[in-house]
Amino acid sequence: MHSNSPDISSRNAKERQHDGLGDISIWLDSYNDIFSDFDPRPYSQRTLSDDFLTQVRKVSHESEEKVNKLKLLLPADKREDKKEAVIAKRIHQHFKKHLHEHKKKYGATIRKGIFFTVGGMLLMLVASYISASQSQAFLKHM
């Protein structure tokens, strides 16, 4: 798996939730802990659980570093390689989709800010021109 995909591995239960160096580790009892209980679709389409996303968000906010890898820890006897590949792809799709949405909102906010700034400056210029049309000192009124 590449570095942006979650790493599902079996580890000692004593491992900390945050390893440092941008890695986040979360202990799971089963693959179902990742997904919503109300969504019967296959893993490739299922909605991620609010509890899972809340825990990922909580652990990632505790770190001052950029998250490099999400490690999902699972007992060795419950691991299945085929399911892990599908689940890793699904989690990656989820976060990529939300990153795109945040970038879109950020761009819209920046465009809106520029629009209001330029609009405000134009209104000030028009108001100054109207005020100065009464006298000779346009720059002084502006």
Side-chain angles (χ1 to χ4, degrees):
M1 286 184 219
H2 62 74
S3 65
N4 290 336
S5 295
D7 177 22
I8 302 174
S9 57
S10 55
R11 297 255 179 109
N12 186 335
K14 294 181 181 177
E15 181 167 356
R16 299 176 313 178
Q17 280 192 321
H18 179 68
D19 293 332
L21 303 174
D23 292 351
I24 291 177
S25 297
I26 296 178
W27 188 259
L28 304 172
D29 293 325
S30 73
Y31 295 125
N32 289 327
D33 290 347
I34 300 169
F35 299 101
S36 172
D37 295 335
F38 303 104
D39 193 347
R41 296 178 294 176
Y43 286 141
S44 62
Q45 300 171 348
R46 281 178 81 176
T47 304
L48 297 183
S49 163
D50 288 336
D51 290 341
F52 172 73
L53 293 172
T54 300
Q55 187 63 27
V56 170
R57 188 175 301 115
K58 179 181 173 184
V59 174
S60 69
H61 286 300
E62 289 174 357
S63 170
E64 294 182 15
E65 305 161 349
K66 179 179 176 183
V67 175
N68 194 30
K69 189 181 274 188
L70 172 60
K71 294 180 181 181
L72 304 176
L73 309 175
L74 192 68
D77 62 329
K78 293 187 178 184
R79 293 190 61 198
E80 296 179 40
D81 290 338
K82 284 185 178 182
K83 285 184 180 179
E84 287 183 14
V86 172
I87 290 168
K89 184 177 179 182
R90 177 67 189 105
I91 292 172
H92 185 73
Q93 287 172 339
H94 172 84
F95 286 112
K96 191 173 183 179
K97 175 187 167 199
H98 285 276
L99 174 64
H100 176 71
E101 289 174 3
H102 283 289
K103 283 183 176 181
K104 207 165 129 178
K105 285 181 184 178
Y106 177 78
T109 301
I110 295 296
R111 284 189 298 278
K112 194 175 186 181
I114 291 170
F115 172 76
F116 281 120
T117 300
V118 170
M121 293 171 95
L122 287 174
L123 287 174
M124 285 176 32
L125 189 63
V126 169
S128 297
Y129 177 75
I130 292 171
S131 175
S133 66
Q134 307 295 331
S135 66
Q136 308 288 15
F138 172 72
L139 289 177
K140 183 177 177 183
H141 285 278
M142 193 163 116

